[in-house]
Structures are given as structure tokens and as C-alpha cells.
């Protein structure tokens, strides 16, 4: 029982042992499989080289004798042409034979020359004996006649002269008229060829063999099968393959002697076949030896790993206990320190809002800043201790994913710009409207990584990229910088607690080294992962992967629903709203109207100055980015006014809720800021804080008014609203939420957006075509918040990317991406025209150049020629965003229709016609 209890307690260790055993077996198996294949492949390759070299060597030997033979034959034919008698020809044969024999090193194996000339037998040797009484029956003679002028190589045969095995070369002799007058031949000792083939080996094993033109065995280690053909030995299939010209490489079959073997073979020019045979056991002996070595290595490694796991398991148990005690101590200490620290912060806040001399106010500022820094360190320590103690858990909610990304991008766009850095934002895929998870911790991680990127980068850019991959069910964040980078040896410790990369470059940058450790813990708790790649001195890339979890939009609406207890009415309040975008101006004024505030409006900074100088306002909501005079400049001018006109609270109305924005706006004379698109709870908080208390009426009537309005006229709106709900780019639920659930207001402002849309995108087109990137940035910034207000989330994301790049003065990117954005805005305008029944609308497109049309038509034609309809449709759609004249526009439209119906020829003809115009 004790043993079972002990095993149960150590089940995780036993599981690790099992995993090690399985991995060891798997590694040995896979290693043997792949390495044996490599070894065998190398042996086969070596075998091919050996058989090829042997065949080439034997061929060269025979060809050398053939060349000599041709010279002798030509000499005899020349003598015969000169009417030389047979006796002199025989003497010439003797002379040539002596020359060949003197070069025996080159012509090893040569015996003698002989011939039949006009039926008379002549020989290079004096000892002619009687062995060629019937020469016409000999192989060399018959072969010469059958070869008809070509050199014939006989198969080995028994010489009548010395009963030795020889082979002969022979050829017909011809006179000047082409008439045959005899046959010339000379003999070669076959023993030299036999010895060479017998000496052939593969890796010092195996044997060589030779087959003649009739597939008879003429060289083999088993002399008992000499002269036997493959058919006689029972190898009919092998004989058939060789006759068909097959050459074998690592061909496995049973040898002539009944041994399972591997063969390599090559066919020679004279129809002989040379081959090498190796018994299978010897051929694979290296691979088998490797199996034994790998098995032994695997067993030793397995035992070693099990020992290491045992040691690590014991060390981990000790470490876990120590970590638990440390985390408990840190948690208790952090809580104890936070109590007096919060008191310090509270008191310093009170002092900051009191009237103190300048010197004392500086001291209080230092105290406040230092206390915040210390509290941030304490919070990091507390978070880390909670994580390590297992007390910190995720708090998943349904949250607005687009708002989270927009918040992070906005937070660092200005921060990077103030430091002289370019901030780039990119996203891939369709950004989800809602996700389910702990958005607070995810935002904390992204802010930490982006903050580090800005902190450790002195020049260059910061790139924030979001990839939405629904097929992989993942969302990937990539934060890239051109900062100081991280040394390779420091990367493994980067996510450890209280660790920082220690270099000369960052010695003056403060930090606890806890941020990345906490970020890693948070991401792992979400089921994701975080990694880093870095080039020291050139920058780093942090990659965060989290799983996608679809959220519920209705749950978000409920969570962020307007709180009745904070409902107010302020009919006596004097409020001014300043924005260069008429649509945003009307939205802000309308939302204030829900709270019984009749707000004044101004379309520019200059107009706002005039209105403030002539009226007394409690609050001025000032747009940040405006042409000519932006919000900061207008605020500075207003603050110069004396008397009652310098009193209004000025709230920055901006779509960029950036990190450090509060400090920037406060330093510029603002009292606070409100993010666009405006949400009613945030608006109410601003009004409660800055309106005179006597002008605020706390009541639930405002919300009741909204609910009554929502219930009042639905039937009249249903017909139009159902059409609006069918517009692809608009999410009516999101738009309604932006309007506080006020359906009629949403409809009115969407109609207003439609009326202003054409002028807005015409301005953007004008700015981009004239190269005015600054005003283009302002215009697309306004368009971003307008689109978000009516629920056009996807288009708002595109505007966000264009705004980010235009702020960095990336003109090339804006010129490339704007036509697609413009096309979708025009399509949205057309769809809204059907909803609101606007009559006789003519959509003016930006003028396109002939060069731009020609270049893109050539690309589209290439796509059609390759039957790539997707690429062709994309190019034609991009062209249709511009105006090239009625005739060209009609041709492009018809070509697009043809391509969508896969009529490639029709589309090609229409494009060619457009090119000719």
C-alpha cells in the first residue's frame, strides 16, 4: 500500500519517465530509418561509381586495341592497292606485330596478327603450325563477314595455337573499288580481362563478373558455371531484361550460386555485360552496425535523462516551496507598503491642486512623480508575487477588440512621434468586433511591450502589427523596433523575474525587470505564447500569440450600459463643441442634446476663438487635429484672452487617446480629454467634473427619455432601418451603441454622414493627389472617427492604418492603399444612397492618368492570359475607382463583368480595345 501511495504521489515523475522512454524509442527508430537511408544511398552511389569506372576502364582497353587494329588494317589495304604481293604483306604484318609488342605496356595482352588475302593465309609469326586449316569456320572470320566493314570483337574462345582462351578483333579488307579481298584479325589474351574483372570489389567485399554477347558467363568467382548462359542457369527474366538494355543499380536477387545478393551492372559497347555482386548481409552490414550503436546510445541517454529528471524533480520541489514562501512575503510586504504610499499620493494630489509658491509646488511635483514610480514598481512586484503564488487569475469578459487595438495604437502614436520615431500600424485579416478574454491584462501586456520598444529606441521606427488568423484560431501581435536590441546570451533570461539585459547602451534606463516576466505569465495564462527575436544593435521583434475566442456584442453593450445613477440633465450649461468635421460636430452636439444641453458649434479654431471671446462658456470641447489652426494652437490663443474669457474648461476632443496625452494637453492649456467616438458614460464623467455643480441635475430622466425615444417611432423607421442593416460595411448594433441606443438619432446621423461623405472623400483624394500628406492625415483622422460612429468598423480600421502611415509621412504607402479605401467609400455612398433614396446622384471619381491606366491594363491582361481571374478582377476594380472618361470607364466595367463570368476572351478583347484608345 505504501508503495502504491508513493507511486501515486510521484505520478508526474513516472509520466516523465514514460515520455523519456517513448521519445528514446522514437528517436532511435527515426534516426536509424533516416541514417540507414543516407548510408545505403551513399553505398549505392559508390557502387554506381565503381561499376561505371570498371565499365569505362574495360571499354578503354578494348578501344585502344581497336584503334591499333584499324591502323594495321589501313596499312594492309594501302599495300594491296599498290599491288604488293602476299609475301611482302606477310612481312609487313611481322613488322607491325614487333612494333606492337615493343609497346607491350600500352598494348598488354596482344599476341599476333594474321589474315586471309585472296584465299591465302598469312601470319605475323614464323610458327604458323597447322591450327588454321579451316579459318573460314572460326568465329573471327564469320564475325568479320557479318559485321560488313566494322571491327568485330569475338566472344572468348579456345585458340588452336596454344589451347588458351583468347578473343579476336577482325574486319573485312577492301580494295580501292570497295571489293573485299580478305579478312584481317589479331588476337588478345583474355586472361588479362579475366584478372581485371576478378579484382573488382565494392567496399572490399563482393565480386566482379562478365557476360558475353550471348549472356554466357565468361568471368565469375565460381568457375563451374563458365560458358553457361543465363537461360541455362534458370535466370530467364534477368536475361530478358538485359537483352532489352536494362542496367541494374542495387538490384536485389538471388545470385548464380544461390546467395541473396545486390547487383550493379553496365552494358559494354560490344554487347558484353559487366556486373558486381555483393551478398545482402555484407551490403547492409554498416547500416546494421549503426542500429546497434544507436540502440546503445539511446539506452544510455534514456538512463541519463531519467537520472537528470529525478534530480530536477527533487530540486523543483525544494524550489517551489522556497518560491511559495518568497511570494507570500512579497505579497504581504507589497500590501503593507501600498497603504502609506496611497496616502502620499492622495496628499500630493491635494497639494498639487492648492495654491503653493512655485518652489514648494516643484517639491510636491517631485514627490508625486517619485511616488508614482515607486507605486508602479510595487504593483509589478505584487503582480509577480500573485502570479507565482497562484493567486492571480484571469477575469474574462466580452470586450471590444477594435477599441482595444485602437487604444494601444493611439497611446503610442504620439509618444513615438514626440521622441522622433516613426510609428507604423498594420493589420491582416478581418478584425473581430468582439472577443472574450481578459482585455485588461492583454492591454497591460501590449502597453508593456510597446512601451519598452519606445523606451529602448532612439531612432528609426516602431511597428505594431496585428494578424487575424481564423483558420488557425489565433491572433498574432508583432511589435518591431529599431532600438538597441538584445544580445543572444541575454535572451534566455529576458522573461525571468528581476532580469534585464545589462549593456552599456541601457545602463541609464530604469526598470525592475518584472514587466516581461509578468507579460509572459499573463499570455501563458491566456493559452498563448510570447517570443522574441533580436539583432543586437539593430532592433528586436516581440511576437505574442493568443487564441481567438469570439465575444458577444450584446454582452459588451450590457456591460458598458449607461449608469442611471450618473444620469444628469444640464439645461443651463453653456457648452461649445469645436470640430472641422461637420458630421462629428453634429454627433457630439446630439449626444449633449440627450442631456438637455444646447451646445454651440464651431468648425475651426479661429471660429472657436471668436465665439469664446463673445460668449461665456463653461466647457469647450476642442478637436485636436484641425487644418490651419489645430486645437492646441486655438487653446493657446484662448488662454491669452483676459477676464471672463480665460475661465472655460477646455477638453481635448480627440481620436488619439495617447500615452502621455494627459500631460501634453495639460501643458498646452487643456483641462482633460475625451476620446472619439464619444461614449455617453465618458461624456457624463467629464460634464460632472467640469460643469458648475449648480448647473447639474442628477436624474434618471435622461435615460428614460432615451428609452422612450427608442420605443416611440420604430414602425416608421423599420423600412429604412432594414435597408441600412443590409449594408455590408455598417454594423448597426455598433452604431446604435455609439448613439446611446437612440435609433432615430443613429438614423439621422447616418443620413448626415451620407450627405457629407462625398465631399470628405473628394477632399482626401485631392490631398493625396496634390501630395498634401499633412492635410490628408487630418482628413483621414476625421473620417476614422466618423466611420466608427456609424458602426463601419472595417473601414475605420483602414482609416486608422492610413492615418498612422500619413502621420509618419509615408506617402508611397498612402498613394498605394488609398484607391482601395476610396473605392469602398464610394461603394458605401452608393449603398447609403439606396437606403436614403437620394435622387440623381453623380459620383465624381478622381481623374486617372493614361499611363496609370495603360500599366494596370497590361498587368490585368497578363493575369487573364494566365487564367488568374482573382488578380484580374482586383486590378480592374482598382482602376474603376478612377475616372478615365466615359468610353474607357464603360470598357473597364464590361471587362470586369466578363471576367467575373470567366469569359477570359471577352475580357481580353475589351482590355485590348481600351489599350488602343
Amino acid at each position: 500500500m505504501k508503495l502504491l501511495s508513493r507511486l501515486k504521489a510521484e505520478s508526474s515523475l513516472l509520466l516523465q519517465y514514460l515520455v523519456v522512454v517513448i521519445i528514446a524509442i522514437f528517436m532511435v527508430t527515426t534516426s536509424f530509418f533516416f541514417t540507414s537511408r543516407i548510408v545505403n544511398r551513399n553505398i549505392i552511389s559508390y557502387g554506381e561509381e565503381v561499376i561505371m569506372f570498371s565499365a569505362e576502364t574495360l571499354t578503354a582497353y578494348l578501344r585502344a586495341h581497336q584503334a591499333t587494329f584499324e591502323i594495321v588494317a589501313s596499312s594492309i589495304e594501302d599495300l594491296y592497292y599498290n599491288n604488293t604481293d602476299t609475301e611482302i604483306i606477310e612481312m609487313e604484318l611481322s613488322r607491325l606485330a614487333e612494333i606492337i609488342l615493343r609497346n607491350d605496356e600500352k598494348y598488354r595482352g596482344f599476341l599476333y596478327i594474321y589474315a586471309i588475302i585472296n584465299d591465302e593465309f598469312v601470319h605475323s609469326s614464323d610458327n604458323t603450325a597447322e591450327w588454321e586449316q579451316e579459318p573460314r569456320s572460326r568465329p573471327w572470320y564469320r564475325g568479320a563477314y557479318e559485321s560488313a566493314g566494322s571491327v568485330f570483337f569475338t566472344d572468348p574462345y579456345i585458340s588452336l595455337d596454344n589451347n588458351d582462351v583468347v578473343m579476336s578483333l577482325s574486319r573485312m579488307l577492301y580494295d580501292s573499288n570497295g571489293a573485299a579481298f580478305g579478312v584481317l584479325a589479331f588476337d588478345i589474351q583474355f586472361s588479362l580481362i579475366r584478372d581485371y574483372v576478378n579484382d573488382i570489389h565494392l567496399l572490399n567485399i563482393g565480386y566482379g563478373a562478365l557476360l558475353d554477347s550471348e549472356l554466357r558467363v565468361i568471368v565469375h568467382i565460381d568457375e563451374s558455371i563458365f560458358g553457361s548462359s543465363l537461360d541455362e542457369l534458370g535466370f530467364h527474366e534477368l536475361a530478358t531484361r538485359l537483352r532489352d538494355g536494362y542496367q541494374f543499380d542495387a538490384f536485389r536477387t538471388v545470385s548464380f550460386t544461390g546467395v541473396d545478393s545486390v547487383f550493379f551492372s553496365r552494358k559494354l559497347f560490344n554487347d558484353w555485360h559487366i556486373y558486381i555482386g555483393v551478398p545482402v548481409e555484407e551490403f547492409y552490414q554498416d547500416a546494421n552496425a549503426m542500429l546497434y550503436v544507436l540502440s546503445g546510445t539511446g539506452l544510455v541517454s534514456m538512463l541519463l535523462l531519467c537520472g537528470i529528471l529525478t534530480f530536477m524533480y527533487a530540486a523543483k520541489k525544494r524550489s517551489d516551496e522556497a518560491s511559495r514562501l518568497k511570494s507570500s512575503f512579497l505579497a504581504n510586504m507589497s500590501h503593507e507598503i501600498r497603504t502609506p504610499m496611497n496616502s502620499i499620493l492622495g496628499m500630493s494630489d491635494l497639494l498639487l491642486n492648492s495654491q503653493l509658491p512655485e518652489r514648494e509646488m516643484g517639491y510636491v511635483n517631485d514627490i508625486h512623480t517619485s511616488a508614482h514610480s515607486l507605486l508602479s514598481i510595487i504593483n509589478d512586484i505584487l503582480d509577480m508575487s500573485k502570479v507565482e503564488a497562484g493567486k492571480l487569475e484571469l477575469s474574462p469578459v466580452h470586450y471590444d477588440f477594435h477599441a482595444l487595438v485602437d487604444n494601444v495604437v493611439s497611446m503610442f502614436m504620439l509618444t513615438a512621434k514626440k521622441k522622433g520615431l516613426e510609428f507604423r500600424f498594420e493589420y491582416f485579416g478581418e478584425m473581430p468586433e468582439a472577443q472574450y478574454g481578459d482585455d485588461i491584462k492583454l492591454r497591460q501586456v501590449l502597453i508593456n511591450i510597446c512601451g519598452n520598444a519606445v523606451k529602448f529606441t532612439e531612432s528609426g521606427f516602431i511597428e505594431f502589427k496585428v494578424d487575424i488568423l481564423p483558420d488557425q484560431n489565433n491572433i498574432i501581435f508583432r511589435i518591431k523596433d529599431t532600438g538597441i536590441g538584445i544580445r543572444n546570451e541575454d535572451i534566455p533570461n529576458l522573461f525571468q523575474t528581476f532580469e534585464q539585459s545589462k549593456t552599456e547602451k541601457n545602463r541609464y534606463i530604469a526598470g525592475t525587470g518584472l514587466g516581461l516576466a509578468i507579460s509572459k505569465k499573463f499570455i501563458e495564462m491566456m493559452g498563448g505564447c510570447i517570443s522574441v527575436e533580436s539583432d543586437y544593435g539593430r532592433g528586436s521583434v516581440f511576437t505574442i500569440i493568443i487564441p481567438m475566442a469570439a465575444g458577444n456584442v450584446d454582452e459588451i453593450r450590457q456591460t458598458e450600459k449607461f449608469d442611471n445613477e450618473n444620469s444628469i440633465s444640464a439645461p443651463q450649461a453653456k457648452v461649445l463643441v469645436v470640430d472641422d468635421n461637420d458630421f462629428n460636430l453634429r454627433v457630439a452636439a446630439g449626444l449633449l442634446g440627450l442631456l438637455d444641453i444646447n451646445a454651440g458649434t464651431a468648425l475651426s479654431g479661429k471660429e472657436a476663438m471668436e465665439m469664446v471671446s463673445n460668449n461665456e462658456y463653461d466647457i469647450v470641447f476642442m478637436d485636436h487635429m484641425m487644418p490651419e489652426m489645430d486645437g492646441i494652437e486655438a487653446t493657446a490663443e484662448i488662454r491669452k484672452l483676459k477676464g471672463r474669457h480665460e475661465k472655460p474648461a477646455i477638453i481635448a476632443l480627440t481620436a488619439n487617446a495617447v500615452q502621455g496625452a494627459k500631460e501634453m494637453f495639460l501643458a498646452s492649456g487643456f483641462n482633460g480629454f475625451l476620446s472619439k467616438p464619444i461614449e455617453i458614460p465618458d461624456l457624463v464623467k467629464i460634464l460632472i467634473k467640469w460643469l458648475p455643480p449648480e448647473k447639474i441635475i442628477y436624474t434618471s430622466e435622461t435615460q428614460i427619455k432615451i428609452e422612450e425615444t427608442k420605443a416611440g417611432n420604430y414602425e416608421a423607421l423599420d423600412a429604412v432601418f432594414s435597408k441600412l442593416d443590409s449594408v455590408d460595411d455598417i454594423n448597426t448594433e455598433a452604431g446604435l451603441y455609439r448613439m446611446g441606443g437612440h435609433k432615430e438619432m443613429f438614423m439621422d446621423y447616418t443620413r448626415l454622414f451620407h450627405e457629407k461623405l462625398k465631399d470628405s472623400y473628394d477632399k482626401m483624394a485631392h490631398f493625396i493627389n496634390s501630395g498634401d500628406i499633412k492635410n490628408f492625415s487630418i482628413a483621414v483622422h476625421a473620417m476614422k472617427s466618423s466611420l466608427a460612429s456609424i458602426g463601419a468598423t472595417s473601414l475605420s480600421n483602414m482609416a486608422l492604418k492610413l492615418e498612422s502611415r500619413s502621420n509618419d509621412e509615408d506617402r508611397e504607402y498612402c498613394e498605394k492603399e488609398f484607391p482601395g479605401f476610396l473605392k469602398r467609400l464610394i461603394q458605401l455612398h452608393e449603398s447609403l444612397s439606396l437606403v436614403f433614396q437620394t435622387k440623381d446622384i453623380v459620383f465624381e471619381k478622381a481623374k486617372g492618368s493614361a499611363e496609370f491606366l495603360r500599366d494596370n491594363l497590361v498587368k490585368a491582361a497578363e493575369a487573364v492570359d494566365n487564367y488568374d481571374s482573382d488578380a484580374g478582377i482586383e486590378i480592374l476594380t482598382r482602376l474603376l475607382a478612377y475616372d478615365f472618361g466615359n468610353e474607357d470607364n464603360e470598357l473597364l466595367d464590361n471587362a470586369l463583368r466578363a471576367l467575373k463570368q470567366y469569359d477570359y476572351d471577352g475580357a481580353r478583347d475589351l482590355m485590348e480595345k481600351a489599350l488602343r484608345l
Side-chain angles (χ1 to χ4, degrees), residues 840-858:
D840 301 325
I841 297 177
V842 178
F843 299 100
E844 294 182 7
K845 305 175 184 177
K847 294 292 184 182
S849 67
E851 183 180 1
F852 179 74
L853 174 64
R854 182 175 59 257
D855 291 344
N856 280 277
L857 279 175
V858 169

Side-chain angles (χ1 to χ4, degrees), residues 430-619:
E430 185 175 352
M431 195 172 291
E433 183 177 357
Q435 282 287 289
Y436 182 74
D438 194 328
D439 60 322
I440 294 176
K441 290 183 176 62
L442 178 58
R443 184 183 285 106
Q444 182 178 341
V445 171
L446 295 176
I447 289 173
N448 180 268
I449 302 297
C450 290
N452 284 344
V454 174
K455 181 164 62 174
F456 292 102
T457 302
E458 294 301 324
S459 63
F461 65 86
I462 311 296
E463 182 179 87
F464 181 62
K465 185 176 182 182
V466 184
D467 290 335
I468 314 298
L469 305 175
D471 55 328
Q472 300 179 18
N473 199 38
N474 282 330
I475 298 176
I476 302 177
F477 302 92
R478 288 188 177 88
I479 297 94
K480 181 179 181 179
D481 65 64
T482 55
I484 61 176
I486 306 162
R487 295 179 302 191
N488 290 334
E489 59 267 27
D490 290 334
I491 290 178
N493 299 323
L494 198 61
F495 297 101
Q496 301 299 317
T497 55
F498 302 104
E499 288 284 350
Q500 275 192 321
S501 176
K502 302 298 181 184
T503 68
E504 191 68 26
K505 298 181 180 181
N506 72 347
R507 60 182 298 185
Y508 300 110
I509 301 176
T512 62
L514 286 174
L516 289 177
I518 295 171
S519 297
K520 184 174 185 290
K521 294 289 184 181
F522 283 171
I523 294 300
E524 288 175 349
M525 289 169 68
M526 296 175 193
C529 61
I530 181 170
S531 61
V532 61
E533 297 176 5
S534 185
D535 188 354
Y536 184 60
R538 302 184 66 178
S540 305
V541 180
F542 281 82
T543 302
I544 301 166
I545 303 176
I546 61 170
M548 291 185 71
N552 189 314
V553 177
D554 294 333
E555 291 285 344
I556 299 175
R557 307 298 179 251
Q558 278 188 341
T559 303
E560 301 177 352
K561 190 174 181 181
F562 181 59
D563 187 351
N564 287 339
E565 293 181 2
N566 289 330
S567 298
I568 65 169
S569 175
Q572 302 301 318
K574 297 283 288 181
V575 177
L576 176 65
V577 183
V578 186
D579 198 312
D580 65 302
N581 184 290
D582 189 38
F583 172 74
N584 291 338
L585 203 62
R586 293 278 293 275
V587 170
L591 292 175
L592 288 166
L594 292 175
L595 307 176
D596 292 330
I597 297 174
N598 186 16
T601 58
L603 283 165
S604 68
K606 290 183 178 179
E607 186 180 351
M609 285 178 55
E610 294 176 4
M611 294 185 70
V612 171
S613 64
N614 296 321
N615 297 277
E616 291 187 34
Y617 290 105
D618 300 309
I619 299 178

Side-chain angles (χ1 to χ4, degrees), residues 18-37:
L18 179 61
V19 170
V20 168
V21 172
I22 293 173
I23 292 175
I25 294 173
F26 175 76
M27 289 180 62
V28 169
T29 304
T30 53
S31 298
F32 172 69
F33 175 75
F34 287 108
T35 55
S36 63
R37 289 188 64 181

